[in-house]
C-alpha cells in the first residue's frame, strides 16, 4: 500500500492536467488556442474535436433561436404574414392572374385588367388602403416590376394597371405583347405610402407620365369619400408630353368634373410639353387647367394658399400667429421629375435628402415623400 505522501503528487498532477484540459476546452469555445502551441494533433482527433463540436453546437443553438425569433416577429398576430396565411394572392409568393381585358390608351401605353381567382383576394383592410402596388413578373427572363392599380379591386376581383412601353423596359414590352386570356404572375398588395393618423390640411401630388396612378387610387377612395380625411384638400399637378398622354380612358374628365363641383376638396392642374392638336382650345374646361411647359417653382407656389395674408403682416393687425399648415408633398414620375421637384432618390431608391423646388420653397424632409 502506497503512503499518502507518495501518491499525493501523482494524484495532484492527474487532477491538475484534467482540470487544465477541461478549462482549455471551455475557453476555446470563445477564443483560438495560442499560435505558438505545437500542432501535434489533427483537427478531427479527440483533443481538438471537443472545442470544435462545442463551437458548432453553440452556433447551431444561436441560429435556431434567431430563426424562431424571426418567425415569431414575421408571423405574429399583427404581422402581414399572418394576415395572408392561406391566401393565394399575397405579397410573398406568386399567383397566376388572368388578363381579362387590354386596350391601347395612348400610342405607347395600355390599360390591362387582371383578375384574381375567388376567393383568394385579400380583404383590403386599413393596412392596404391607398397607396399600394403589385409586382408583375416576366417569367421569360425572371424580372419583376411594380405597378400601381388605378382603382384597386372592383366587385369582380379585378384590378387595372396602366403600362407604358419603353424601349429598354423588359416587363413593359412583355406585357404589351399579352392578349386577353393570357396569364401572368403577380404578387401583392405591397404598401407604397400610408396617410398619417392625423388629418393633413393638404396633400399636394406632383407627377409625370404614368406616375399619376397612385393619385388615381387616392382619388377613388379618399378624395371622393368625404368621410375619409374630411379636413384635407387634395391638389394634383400632373405633366405629360401632350394632352393625349395625360390620363387614360375617362379619368381626365372624372378629375376635372369632380374638381369643378368640389373646389374646396380637389384642385387639378395639367402641364404638357406641347399641344400639337390644339386639344385645349377645343375643350374649354381643359384649357382652364392646362399649361404648356414644365412644372416650375412658381406653379407650386400658386396652388398653395398663403400662410399669412398680406393684411395680417401689418403691425396693428398681426394678432395671434396662425398655426403651421400640415402639408404633405407626394412626388411620383420619371427620375428627372423627382430630382427637379424634391431632389434625387438616395441609394437603392431610398428617400435621400430633399432638394429641388420644394427645398427652395423652404419645405423640409418630413414634408415630402418620393414614391
Amino acid at each position: 500500500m502506497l503512503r499518502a505522501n507518495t501518491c499525493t503528487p501523482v494524484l495532484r498532477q492527474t487532477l491538475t492536467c484534467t482540470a487544465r484540459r477541461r478549462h482549455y476546452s471551455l475557453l476555446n469555445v470563445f477564443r483560438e488556442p495560442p499560435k505558438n502551441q505545437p500542432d501535434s494533433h489533427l483537427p478531427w482527433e479527440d483533443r481538438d474535436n471537443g472545442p470544435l463540436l462545442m463551437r458548432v453546437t453553440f452556433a447551431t443553438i444561436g441560429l435556431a433561436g434567431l430563426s424562431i425569433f424571426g418567425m415569431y416577429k414575421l408571423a405574429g398576430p399583427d404581422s402581414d404574414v399572418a394576415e395572408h396565411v392561406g391566401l393565394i394572392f399575397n405579397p410573398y409568393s406568386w399567383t397566376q392572374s388572368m388578363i381579362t381585358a387590354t386596350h391601347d390608351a395612348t400610342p405607347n401605353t395600355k390599360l390591362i385588367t387582371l383578375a384574381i381567382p375567388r376567393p383568394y383576394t385579400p380583404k383590403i383592410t386599413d393596412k392596404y388602403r391607398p397607396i399600394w402596388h403589385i409586382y408583375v413578373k416576366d417569367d421569360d427572363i425572371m424580372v419583376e416590376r411594380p405597378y400601381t392599380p388605378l382603382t384597386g379591386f372592383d366587385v369582380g376581383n379585378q384590378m387595372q394597371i396602366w403600362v407604358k412601353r419603353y424601349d429598354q423596359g423588359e416587363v413593359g414590352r412583355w406585357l404589351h405583347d399579352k392578349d386577353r386570356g393570357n396569364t401572368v404572375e403577380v404578387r401583392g398588395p405591397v404598401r407604397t405610402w400610408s396617410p398619417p393618423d392625423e388629418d393633413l390640411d393638404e396633400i399636394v401630388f406632383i407627377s409625370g407620365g404614368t406616375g399619376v396612378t397612385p393619385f388615381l387610387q387616392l382619388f377613388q377612395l379618399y378624395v371622393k369619400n368625404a368621410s375619409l380625411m374630411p379636413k384635407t384638400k387634395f391638389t394634383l399637378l400632373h405633366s405629360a408630353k401632350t394632352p393625349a398622354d395625360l390620363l387614360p380612358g375617362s379619368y381626365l374628365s372624372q378629375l376635372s368634373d369632380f374638381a369643378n363641383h368640389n373646389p374646396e376638396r380637389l384642385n387639378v392642374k395639367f402641364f404638357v410639353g406641347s399641344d400639337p392638336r390644339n386639344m385645349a382650345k377645343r375643350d374649354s374646361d381643359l384649357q382652364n387647367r392646362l399649361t404648356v411647359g414644365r412644372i416650375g417653382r412658381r406653379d407650386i407656389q400658386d396652388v398653395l394658399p398663403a400662410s399669412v395674408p398680406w393684411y395680417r403682416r401689418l403691425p396693428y393687425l398681426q394678432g395671434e400667429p396662425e398655426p403651421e399648415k400640415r402639408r404633405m408633398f407626394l412626388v411620383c414620375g420619371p427620375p428627372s421629375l423627382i430630382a427637379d421637384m424634391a431632389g434625387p432618390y438616395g441609394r437603392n431608391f431610398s428617400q435621400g435628402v430633399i432638394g429641388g423646388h420644394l427645398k427652395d420653397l423652404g419645405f423640409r424632409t418630413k414634408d415630402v415623400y418620393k414614391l
Side-chain angles (χ1 to χ4, degrees), residues 130-131 148-149 192 205 210-219 332 371:
I131 302 170
T148 301
T192 308
F205 197 99
T210 56
V212 72
T213 51
F215 184 81
L216 297 180
Q217 242 188 52
L218 283 174
F219 174 70
C332 186
L371 299 177

Side-chain angles (χ1 to χ4, degrees), residues 241-244 272-281 286 290 292:
K241 290 183 178 180
T242 68
V272 294
S274 62
D275 188 5
R277 299 181 181 179
N278 295 320
M279 182 177 175
K281 293 182 179 179
L286 181 59
L290 187 66
V292 177

Side-chain angles (χ1 to χ4, degrees), residues 2-311:
L2 293 176
R3 292 180 300 176
N5 60 354
T6 303
C7 64
T8 299
V10 177
L11 181 60
R12 185 185 300 115
Q13 184 177 5
T14 302
L15 293 175
T16 301
C17 293
T18 302
R20 285 177 179 175
R21 286 187 62 184
R22 291 180 178 175
H23 178 66
Y24 171 78
S25 299
L26 182 60
L27 288 179
N28 269 274
V29 175
F30 306 100
R31 64 178 177 85
E32 296 294 332
K35 293 183 178 180
N36 58 359
Q37 181 178 349
D39 189 14
S40 58
H41 291 77
L42 296 176
W44 54 81
E45 292 184 350
D46 290 341
R47 179 173 177 179
D48 289 334
N49 199 32
L52 179 61
L53 288 175
M54 292 184 70
R55 283 196 203 99
V56 173
T57 302
F58 278 110
T60 303
I61 294 174
L63 289 175
L66 288 174
S67 300
I68 294 172
F69 177 76
M71 289 301 295
Y72 171 78
K73 296 297 289 183
L74 284 176
D78 297 327
S79 71
D80 293 341
V81 176
E83 182 178 342
H84 291 280
V85 169
L87 297 177
I88 289 183
F89 183 64
N90 63 81
Y92 311 101
S93 61
W94 296 103
T95 301
Q96 291 288 334
S97 174
M98 179 176 289
I99 297 176
T100 59
T102 174
H103 67 272
D104 296 333
T106 67
N108 61 347
T109 66
K110 272 190 173 185
L111 280 174
I112 299 177
T113 304
L114 303 173
I116 303 298
R118 290 181 180 272
Y120 302 117
T121 50
K123 182 180 179 181
I124 305 301
T125 61
D126 290 340
K127 288 187 176 182
Y128 293 110
R129 286 186 172 179
I131 302 170
W132 56 271
H133 63 275
I134 64 170
Y135 283 92
V136 179
K137 182 174 69 173
D138 178 351
D139 52 14
D140 290 341
I141 57 175
M142 296 302 177
V143 174
E144 66 175 11
R145 289 292 181 269
Y147 291 95
T148 301
L150 275 62
T151 58
F153 289 104
D154 63 14
V155 293
N157 278 10
Q158 299 182 123
M159 53 186 168
Q160 197 172 53
I161 57 175
W162 189 23
V163 182
K164 184 173 182 179
R165 183 186 186 110
Y166 293 95
D167 292 337
Q168 305 299 323
E170 301 91 348
V171 180
R173 289 188 284 111
W174 180 77
L175 281 172
H176 269 244
D177 293 334
K178 295 294 181 181
D179 296 319
R180 183 175 181 271
N182 294 151
T183 58
V184 296
E185 290 187 281
V186 297
R187 65 179 181 91
V190 179
R191 280 173 289 175
T192 308
W193 177 80
S194 298
D197 294 333
E198 296 183 358
D199 280 353
L200 296 166
D201 293 309
E202 187 169 12
I203 291 179
V204 181
F205 197 99
I206 305 175
S207 61
T210 56
V212 72
T213 51
F215 184 81
L216 297 180
Q217 242 188 52
L218 283 174
F219 174 70
Q220 292 296 329
L221 183 62
Y222 281 99
V223 182
K224 293 170 65 175
N225 191 342
S227 64
L228 297 176
M229 303 181 72
K231 299 179 181 179
T232 304
K233 180 177 181 179
F234 295 84
T235 298
L236 172 65
L237 302 178
H238 178 56
S239 62
K241 290 183 178 180
T242 68
D245 298 318
L246 282 171
L247 289 168
S250 62
Y251 291 104
L252 183 63
S253 59
Q254 288 184 41
L255 290 176
S256 298
D257 291 344
F258 189 89
N260 290 336
H261 293 91
N262 304 274
E264 74 289 344
R265 181 68 164 171
L266 176 64
N267 183 23
V268 177
K269 294 288 184 181
F270 299 116
F271 300 81
V272 294
S274 62
D275 188 5
R277 299 181 181 179
N278 295 320
M279 182 177 175
K281 293 182 179 179
R282 297 195 302 270
D283 189 335
S284 58
D285 182 61
L286 181 59
Q287 184 177 8
N288 296 331
R289 299 185 180 280
L290 187 66
T291 300
V292 177
R294 305 179 68 178
I295 304 174
R297 187 188 316 171
R298 181 61 182 271
D299 300 309
I300 300 175
Q301 285 179 310
D302 289 343
V303 299
L304 300 178
S307 57
V308 180
W310 64 270
Y311 55 84

